[in-house]
Amino acid sequence: MSLGTDWRTGVRVREVALGDRPRVLLDDGTLLPADHVVVTAGAYLPGLLPGFMPGQLKVLRRVLAWTRPDPRELERLAAMPVWASFGPAGFVYGFPYGHEG
């Protein structure tokens, strides 16, 4: 890809080594040296990087819900910004309504 990046999909990562010389070891034995590594492993992060922030990472379940808005409100909802709120029920957020067709 551009700017010296390498994007791979459909591969399994066995190990990520961070530090001065980061590298990624794929399940098929391929070793990828890197200057920087971005890990977006979600709930798999503690298993992939067991020494990373020990005791500070907690896997949480996030429930997503999609609703169909009232057709009379579509124009107003499409004009809303992204929003977020911290309240007694926890953290909630939303995005503008994008209506196609």
Side-chain angles (χ1 to χ4, degrees):
M1 293 187 81
S2 65
L3 302 176
T5 62
D6 187 9
W7 184 280
R8 296 185 185 215
T9 59
V11 298
R12 187 178 179 106
V13 174
R14 185 183 311 164
E15 178 184 323
V16 175
L18 303 176
D20 293 339
R21 301 296 308 175
R23 64 190 185 282
V24 176
L25 177 63
L26 302 182
D27 208 34
D28 68 2
T30 302
L31 183 63
L32 304 171
D35 293 325
H36 305 281
V37 175
V38 176
V39 179
T40 57
Y44 298 99
L45 186 63
L48 190 58
L49 294 171
F52 184 72
M53 299 175 65
Q56 297 181 46
L57 297 175
K58 182 178 179 182
V59 176
L60 300 173
R61 180 175 181 250
R62 294 289 184 208
V63 178
L64 299 178
W66 301 94
T67 61
R68 185 173 308 277
D70 184 322
R72 298 170 295 188
E73 299 291 332
L74 295 182
E75 186 175 329
R76 186 175 70 87
L77 292 172
M80 287 181 67
V82 173
W83 58 272
S85 175
F86 289 93
F91 177 69
V92 295
Y93 61 94
F95 298 91
Y97 180 74
H99 180 69
E100 292 185 22

